[in-house]
Amino acid sequence: GDSVTQMEGPVTLSEEAFLTINCTYTATGYPSLFWYVQYPGEGLQLLLKATKADDKGSNKGFEATYRKETTSFHLEKGSVQVSDSAVYFCALSDWNRDDKIIFGKGTRLHILP
Amino acid sequence: NAGVTQTPKFQVLKTGQSMTLQCAQDMNHEYMSWYRQDPGMGLRLIHYSVGAGITDQGEVPNGYNVSRSTTEDFPLRLLSAAPSQTSVYFCASSYSNSAPLYNEQFFGPGTRLTVL
């Protein structure tokens, strides 16, 4: 079945460092791909998404490119801030196949001042 | 818009008690779902609904019931609480899960449940 695998955390970086959180997926159809962020004590909220191959999603300085050839959707940011400390979830929705959205296990990010 | 609301925010139950977690959305979304979040496990889908009157099981449905009598509400019932159901529960909704442009999920703030 469809699945999402993302790098395990926690990831600890200093402020202004470059961030990459890896995400790979398995799907037989044509999924949409998402990154959600969960700040402490809150629910998840959509950070960015891409709906087809080679699409780049971007928001708040974060970017991710839908790579069908490597089945990846890695999250990147050029210069992280303390306020980026949160848990990040990669997810896919194979809308042509069924009604479920599948989440990765999440990666906790700590940014040190 | 209030978005997705959940009540209560916190709840403590004794083993064997039953209760209902409430979820409501005011965005006229067709698709609603319940997840539980446990440390190291990410989000696991409990039940979901693609519209009023239609529900289906997710990954971990045992011990939970749902119903969808209106578009707005999607309550989750714990029939006989067990310590293994201690978790944080999130309700989510989206316009549709079948159209890529509209399938962003909106999450509620969560309910933290402890079963003693």
Side-chain angles (χ1 to χ4, degrees):
Chain A
D2 294 355
S3 65
V4 174
T5 303
Q6 60 182 108
M7 62 188 294
E8 294 191 18
V11 174
T12 302
L13 296 172
S14 297
E15 204 166 22
E16 299 184 1
F18 184 86
L19 168 71
T20 300
I21 300 178
N22 290 337
C23 172
T24 58
Y25 68 91
T26 302
T28 55
Y30 303 93
S32 295
L33 301 175
F34 307 86
W35 277 101
Y36 282 83
V37 59
Q38 183 181 30
Y39 297 105
E42 299 182 9
L44 281 71
Q45 55 186 274
L46 181 68
L47 179 60
L48 53 85
K49 72 176 183 181
T51 58
K52 62 182 187 298
D54 299 325
D55 267 3
K56 178 185 284 187
S58 61
N59 186 25
K60 298 182 181 180
F62 291 89
E63 292 184 341
T65 301
Y66 189 142
R67 302 284 189 200
K68 193 169 177 63
E69 64 276 13
T70 55
T71 62
S72 65
F73 193 56
H74 304 321
L75 182 68
E76 296 181 336
K77 186 174 185 181
S79 176
V80 293
Q81 306 299 313
V82 172
S83 58
D84 294 327
S85 298
V87 181
Y88 293 81
F89 292 89
C90 186
L92 73 80
S93 173
D94 199 345
W95 66 276
N96 198 38
R97 189 159 177 266
D98 61 26
D99 297 311
K100 299 184 181 68
I101 294 178
I102 298 169
F103 288 87
K105 292 187 176 182
T107 302
R108 184 174 297 275
L109 175 65
H110 294 292
I111 306 300
L112 304 175
Chain B
N1 285 349
V4 180
T5 57
Q6 292 183 238
T7 55
K9 288 189 176 182
F10 301 94
Q11 183 69 49
V12 179
L13 293 178
K14 295 181 179 178
T15 296
Q17 287 185 314
S18 63
M19 80 158 293
T20 299
L21 307 185
Q22 301 292 343
C23 174
Q25 52 88 12
D26 62 357
M27 297 174 281
N28 201 32
H29 284 171
E30 291 294 326
Y31 184 91
M32 296 186 74
S33 52
W34 277 103
Y35 296 89
R36 58 178 289 171
Q37 184 178 31
D38 302 294
M41 301 293 289
L43 287 167
R44 292 186 290 171
L45 182 65
I46 304 171
H47 286 284
Y48 66 101
S49 168
V50 299
I54 305 169
T55 64
D56 207 346
Q57 296 182 350
E59 182 184 356
V60 288
N62 292 343
Y64 308 93
N65 273 358
V66 291
S67 59
R68 184 94 180 272
S69 56
T70 66
T71 298
E72 293 79 18
D73 300 299
F74 191 45
L76 178 73
R77 297 183 186 84
L78 279 70
L79 308 174
S80 177
S84 61
Q85 293 178 305
T86 294
S87 187
V88 181
Y89 291 84
F90 289 99
C91 179
S93 74
S94 64
Y95 180 79
S96 166
N97 204 46
S98 299
L101 290 179
Y102 301 113
N103 54 6
E104 171 187 352
Q105 288 222 311
F106 292 82
F107 282 80
T111 294
R112 186 174 295 273
L113 175 69
T114 301
V115 182
L116 303 175

